Amino acid sequence: MQKKIRILHVAQAAGGVDKFIQSLLKYLSKDIFENIIVCSHSFEKQKYDDLVIAFEQVDMCRAINGLYDLKAIYLVRKLIKKYKPDIVYAHSSKAGAIARISNMGLHNICIYNPHGWAFNMNCSKFQKMVYILIEKIAALFCQKIICISQAEKQSALNLRICPEKKLQVIFNGIDIAEYKNYQHVLSKKSLNIPENAFVIGMVGRISCQKAPDNFIKAAKIIKKHIPNAYFIIVGDGELSTFVYDYAKKYKFNDSLLITGWVNNPMNYIKIFDIAMLLSRWEGFGLVLPEYMVAAKPIIASRIDAIPNIINNRINGLLVEVDNINEIYKATMELYQDTKLCKTLVKNGLNDVYKYFDVKRTAKEHTDLFINMISVKR
């Protein structure tokens, strides 16, 4: 019997990265691979019980912190030596730096997936330069960098992060089979939303990146023109208080629901009439295929990887970043034009099956892993 390929995944950021890893591991063949995860304490062990042969947690903080980072590097290196993987697969910027430094001088393949470059975030010029420098140096210590969109690959090429041959694009995907079998238990009635409400929603962290401030400011204008409009934000974050206080100030907080973190965002998406992603920067935007499979018309910002997923006026509407008037106009167009909505939804469903199924993501990863192992051997 041929020896299985052992992959040790290192991850710090939960949220979308956590979800991605779970979906990927589900469809990587257990006859070919055995997986180990080394992650921060943001991850929940029970979610990985049937997916990995070992689950290890290490203190990893998101910000750059010399002492904590050195300790994390020491512990991750220790675990790499303990499990002796064929491949170390690092997920996201912080874990990417820690894993690649930890793996220096050890005889295995190292792959890195930034899940959205840190230097593409809204940050100061100095921070951007630091992130670019870290990525350029760390790129020397891995054999392959997986980009989750063409936009992400182009960013790396524009900044000369590494030679093009080191970059490979593998689009993210969602577990379509799981969504098809999902039992939806929520309804407008169960959430105390009026049955005649026109529901506009977004899923994501309530933080600067996802622009919930723009969502709620646009909501104020939309509410004047669509009196039965109701707004849902599925998520939580540091701007939650701002969002609620803004709605309260302009007297439409009774038409706003902030769910907090939930395990079943699709339950809420099913209630949406329009789904939004208004990010200021975005590595991929995994929620967009989720909106598509839920058959929702989409409004999204024209930034980074989003135009790789949303083709304007074909499977969704694109608006400029931070342009509240465009968000309002796009909403009104979808509200008034049911034919356009049906076209966008139909094309979105076709695209999600064609391009964004995680089974395809897993197949492309499988081919990459096997190819790199065969070259090494």
Side-chain angles (χ1 to χ4, degrees), residues 77 80 99-107 141:
R77 186 174 179 85
I80 294 172
R100 285 180 286 178
I101 295 168
S102 302
N103 196 56
M104 285 171 61
L106 303 180
H107 301 292
F141 304 106

Side-chain angles (χ1 to χ4, degrees), residues 10-71:
V10 184
Q12 177 272 324
V17 172
D18 185 7
K19 199 170 183 179
F20 168 82
I21 297 171
Q22 288 176 51
S23 297
L24 175 65
L25 298 189
K26 181 178 175 181
Y27 290 105
L28 286 179
S29 171
K30 289 182 180 177
D31 295 331
I32 303 173
F33 303 104
E34 53 185 20
N35 292 285
I36 296 155
I37 186 159
V38 177
C39 56
S40 71
H41 291 282
S42 302
F43 289 67
E44 297 173 34
K45 184 180 184 299
Q46 65 269 24
K47 292 181 178 179
Y48 288 87
D49 284 345
D50 299 325
L51 300 173
V52 297
I53 62 167
F55 181 94
E56 301 276 3
Q57 289 182 301
V58 169
D59 280 331
M60 287 186 267
C61 56
R62 190 166 185 167
I64 296 171
N65 187 315
L67 244 126
Y68 275 98
D69 294 345
L70 285 172
K71 186 179 178 183

Side-chain angles (χ1 to χ4, degrees), residues 357-368:
D357 190 335
V358 76
K359 290 179 183 177
R360 188 262 320 142
T361 307
K363 170 68 168 61
E364 291 183 27
H365 274 82
T366 297
D367 292 345
L368 173 64

